[in-house]
Every structure is written in structure tokens, then in C-alpha cells.
Amino acid sequence: MLVINVFYKCKPGKREDFLAMVEREGVRTGSLAEEGNLAYRYYRSVADEDELFLYEEWKDVDAHGVHRTMPHYQRLQECQGEFLESTTVNKYITE
């Protein structure tokens, strides 16, 4: 299994707009519908109104590779500059 932790630092006041875009563009629902997806959850920081955490689980690295070709993933990549200051991604392979 592949676990991915994504830490987003949103531009000031843009966190809720980013989450609205994720829903509007079908990023979350599209990801959850993919065959190899086991979890795809966003969490709001309680300490910083501009921070957001995404937790993903994928059946394997190949399933995540397919995810990266999907239109909803591509749309997320295109829109990030409008909402985000930085993104940190950590990937873990588990049994």
C-alpha cells in the first residue's frame, strides 16, 4: 500500500476557496471512485486557518500512477497556483 501525506499552505484566506474548487472540479469524488484508491481525506488545521492536510491511501504505486493521469488530478495541478503558497508531499510504502 502507498500512503501519501500532503501538507498545503494556502494563500491567506484561500483555504475554503481551495476546498470548494476540489469539490466543484470533482477532485475528491473522482479520486475516491478510482479502483486503487483506499482513502482520500482533507483535514483543516485548527492551529492555522491557511493550512490543510490531505491523507491518501492507494492499493499500490501503480494505482497512484494511474491517478496522476486522471482529468481530476490534472485539474487540481492546474488550479493550485491560484490557491496555494506551498505543498509538501511525503510518501510511504507499507505492507
Side-chain angles (χ1 to χ4, degrees):
M1 177 171 44
L2 175 66
V3 174
I4 303 174
N5 294 330
V6 183
F7 299 89
Y8 293 114
K9 180 66 175 181
C10 298
K11 293 179 180 178
K14 291 289 188 177
R15 182 174 73 182
E16 295 307 313
D17 294 338
F18 177 71
L19 287 169
M21 179 276 299
V22 164
E23 290 300 318
R24 183 178 61 252
E25 298 294 334
V27 174
R28 188 182 62 81
T29 54
S31 298
L32 287 169
E34 291 180 49
E35 184 176 325
N37 183 267
L38 305 172
Y40 193 91
R41 299 181 195 108
Y42 286 91
Y43 297 91
R44 292 169 177 88
S45 169
V46 295
D48 185 333
E49 65 185 24
D50 296 321
E51 288 182 349
L52 189 62
F53 172 69
L54 169 60
Y55 176 81
E56 301 178 59
E57 287 182 8
W58 296 90
K59 179 180 76 174
D60 53 32
V61 173
D62 292 337
H64 185 255
V66 171
H67 169 65
R68 294 173 57 99
T69 69
M70 295 293 172
H72 51 267
Y73 177 87
Q74 297 300 320
R75 185 66 181 136
L76 176 65
Q77 299 307 304
E78 293 168 3
C79 292
Q80 286 185 359
E82 180 181 346
F83 302 99
L84 304 178
E85 287 184 358
S86 66
T87 304
T88 302
V89 179
N90 297 314
K91 297 180 181 181
Y92 309 92
I93 295 179
T94 65
E95 294 182 15

